[in-house]
Amino acid sequence: MAALATILHADLDAFYASVEQLIDPSLHGRPIAVGGGVVLAASYEARAFGVRSGMPGRRARELCPEIIFVGGHFNEYKRLGDAAIHVLSDFTPAVERISIDEAFADVSGCEQLFGPPGEIAKAIRSRVRTELGLPISIGVARTKHLAKIASQVAKPDGLVIVDPDLELEFLHDLPVELMWGVGPATRARLAGMGVKTIGQLAQSSPKSVERLLGRAIGRKLTALAWNRDPREIQTHRRAHSAGAQSALGRKPAVERVFRPVLNHLADRIAGRLRAKARPGRTVTVRVRFADLRSVTRSLTLPAPISTTTALAEIAVQLVRGVLADHCDEKTISLLAISVSNLADDPVLQLELPFGLEDEGHRPGPRKGMKRLRADHAIDAIRNRFGWEAVGYATSALRIAPSVPDEFRSLAEKEL
C-alpha cells in the first residue's frame, strides 16, 4: 500500500498583484502590473495578454494597452505573506517556507485534530480567503516535488490532491516545464531531443539526459520524473548562498555600464553576509546577453570575505573575463552575483603586510581589515538611519534600479 499523501504545497496566487487588488478594489478583474520600467508581477488578467514578470514595461503596454501599473506596497506584501504562513502553522508545526508567498507543510499526524490532508487543505484555503482576502492554491501529494506540481496545476485558486496510487498517471501527462528546476533554457534543450512531457523525460535514456544537461541535473530530473524525491520538510532552512541580480533591458557591454550595477549588487549581498556573520569563499557572476544566453564565472578564494569593495572588485574582474571570452557580444541584459561556501562565525586570521595585489580581497591583511571596519561603520549608520543614509560613492551614484530594493529584499533567503 502506498504511503499517504500528507505533503502540502501552498502558493498564494499572483501574490503581489492580488495584494494590490485587495488594497484597491477598483482594480479587481482588470489587467494590472506591479512595477513600471520592468514588470515585477502581473495579475492573471494581464497574463492572459502575455504579460510576464521581468518583461520591460514598454513591451507589456504593447501586449496589453489597458494595463494599469501600480507602484507596490512592500510592507503589505510582507505582512500578508507572513499571515498566510501563520495559517499553515495553526495546523502543523512542520512548515517549510521557501519564499514570501509559498511554503510546504507536512500534516502527517494531524488527522485526529483536523481531519484528512484534503480537508486540512480546504480549511487552509478557506481561512486565507476569509481572513486575508487572498486566493491560494494548494497541492497535496506524497512528495514535495509532486505537491508543488499539483499546486501549479491547481492554479488559479484551486486544490489538487494526488492519489498515491495514481501518481505517475497524473505526473507523466504534464509538460516538462512544470518540474522544479526546468526553466526556458532547459525546456528548449529537452525539446531538442523530443522531450516535451514529464512522461517522455521518464522514458528517455538517463545517459542521454545526463549528456544533454550535465550529470547532476540529468540524474535529478530523471529521478523527479519518476517521483523519486526523498526530501523531507525542513523547518529551519538556512541558505547555502546569497545573491542578487539586476535586469538591464538591453545595455552596451561596457564597463561604465556594468561596474555601477555590480557595485550596487555587491553592496546588497555583502551587507547581508555581514549582518549574519556568514562570509563566503566562492564568488560567482552571471552575465546574460541580448539573446538570453547566460554565461557564468566563479572564483574560490583562500579565505571567506564579506567586504563590499572586495566583492565588487572580484565581480568586476570576473565579468571582464566573461566579456573578453565573448568579444562578439555587444549587449547585456542581466547581471548577477552570488556568494557561496558560506562560513559560520569564522575566526579572523591576521596576516603580515607583504604588499600583495590581492590583500584587499582577504580579511586578514591590514588593507582587508580597514575595508571591513569601514563596512561595519556604514552598517551601523544604516541600521540607525536607513539604507539610503550612507554608502559608497560607487554605489550611491548609480542609475536608479528598475526593480526597487524593497522588492528584492522580499525574495532574499534567510542566512
Side-chain angles (χ1 to χ4, degrees):
M1 181 177 177
L4 295 177
T6 60
I7 303 297
L8 277 60
H9 180 261
D11 193 354
L12 290 157
D13 296 316
F15 177 53
Y16 302 117
S18 294
V19 171
E20 296 302 327
Q21 291 173 327
L22 178 67
I23 293 171
D24 183 356
S26 70
L27 297 176
H28 273 292
R30 304 176 71 180
I32 73 166
V34 180
V38 172
V39 175
L40 307 179
S43 67
Y44 281 106
E45 296 84 357
R47 294 181 190 183
F49 290 86
V51 178
R52 296 290 183 268
S53 298
M55 177 180 289
R58 182 175 60 183
R59 177 58 178 160
R61 291 184 176 91
E62 291 174 353
L63 293 172
C64 180
E66 297 181 357
I67 196 167
I68 301 170
F69 277 87
V70 295
H73 293 78
F74 302 102
N75 290 335
E76 283 299 287
Y77 301 157
K78 186 177 188 310
R79 181 183 71 83
L80 290 167
D82 291 345
I85 302 303
H86 289 158
V87 171
L88 289 173
S89 300
D90 286 343
F91 291 87
T92 174
V95 175
E96 178 183 340
R97 188 173 189 173
I98 56 176
S99 72
I100 185 71
D101 58 354
E102 62 178 317
F104 288 104
D106 187 347
V107 297
S108 58
C110 302
E111 293 90 340
Q112 294 297 321
L113 291 173
F114 305 112
E119 293 303 313
I120 293 174
K122 291 178 182 177
I124 291 170
R125 280 176 30 81
S126 176
R127 281 191 53 187
V128 171
R129 171 65 79 175
T130 302
E131 297 174 16
L132 306 179
L134 293 172
I136 187 169
S137 294
I138 298 181
V140 184
R142 191 175 52 85
T143 65
K144 291 171 73 173
H145 169 65
L146 195 55
K148 183 171 175 64
I149 286 181
S151 72
Q152 294 179 77
V153 174
K155 287 181 175 295
D157 196 17
L159 168 64
V160 168
I161 303 170
V162 183
D163 186 331
D165 293 322
L166 301 173
E167 289 175 344
L168 296 183
E169 287 88 339
F170 169 81
L171 184 63
H172 282 179
D173 287 336
L174 297 173
V176 73
E177 58 262 31
L178 288 183
M179 296 181 70
W180 211 343
V182 177
T186 302
R187 178 185 63 185
R189 297 177 75 179
L190 288 171
M193 62 179 288
V195 172
K196 294 184 178 180
T197 68
I198 298 175
Q200 290 172 334
L201 175 60
Q203 297 299 330
S204 298
S205 163
K207 294 297 183 183
S208 298
V209 177
E210 290 177 27
R211 283 196 296 269
L212 181 70
L213 304 177
R215 185 176 181 182
I217 296 176
R219 285 187 173 182
K220 176 183 177 182
L221 291 182
T222 297
L224 292 179
W226 288 104
N227 196 34
R228 294 195 291 265
D229 182 11
R231 295 172 301 164
E232 298 180 349
I233 299 296
Q234 300 178 21
T235 56
H236 299 289
R237 286 169 54 98
R238 295 192 76 185
H240 299 295
S241 64
Q245 66 181 33
S246 180
L248 306 178
R250 294 172 62 91
K251 294 293 178 69
V254 295
E255 188 156 334
R256 63 177 173 78
V257 171
F258 68 74
R259 179 184 279 272
V261 176
L262 294 174
N263 287 337
H264 178 61
L265 296 178
D267 198 10
R268 288 195 58 81
I269 298 167
R272 293 178 60 211
L273 296 175
R274 293 191 298 273
K276 297 297 183 179
R278 298 196 71 194
R281 292 181 57 229
T282 301
V283 179
T284 303
V285 300
R286 179 161 65 98
V287 181
R288 190 175 72 191
F289 300 115
D291 60 359
L292 302 185
R293 184 170 54 90
S294 294
V295 177
T296 62
R297 289 287 187 275
S298 297
L299 175 66
T300 296
L301 304 165
I305 63 167
S306 62
T307 55
T308 296
T309 304
L311 179 56
E313 289 176 350
I314 293 169
V316 168
Q317 291 173 6
L318 291 172
V319 170
R320 284 175 182 162
V322 169
L323 297 178
D325 291 341
H326 298 80
C327 54
D328 292 337
E329 298 290 348
K330 304 301 181 184
T331 305
I332 51 178
S333 61
L334 180 141
L335 291 169
I337 304 174
S338 68
V339 179
S340 55
N341 282 335
L342 304 185
D344 291 302
D345 299 318
V347 175
L348 179 61
Q349 179 65 51
L350 301 182
E351 300 180 32
L352 294 173
F354 291 118
L356 302 177
E357 284 187 8
D358 68 342
E359 285 191 352
H361 296 171
R362 304 198 307 276
R366 183 179 301 172
K367 185 174 182 179
M369 294 180 65
K370 286 182 178 179
R371 287 180 165 183
L372 188 58
R373 285 197 295 267
D375 283 335
H376 284 317
I378 288 175
D379 294 338
I381 295 171
R382 285 173 168 172
N383 289 338
R384 183 172 181 181
F385 299 106
W387 180 269
E388 299 295 336
V390 67
Y392 287 100
T394 52
S395 296
L397 296 180
R398 62 188 168 85
I399 299 173
S402 56
V403 178
D405 287 336
E406 297 93 334
F407 193 88
R408 299 181 194 276
S409 66
L410 296 176
E412 292 173 347
K413 295 181 180 179
E414 179 63 32
L415 295 177

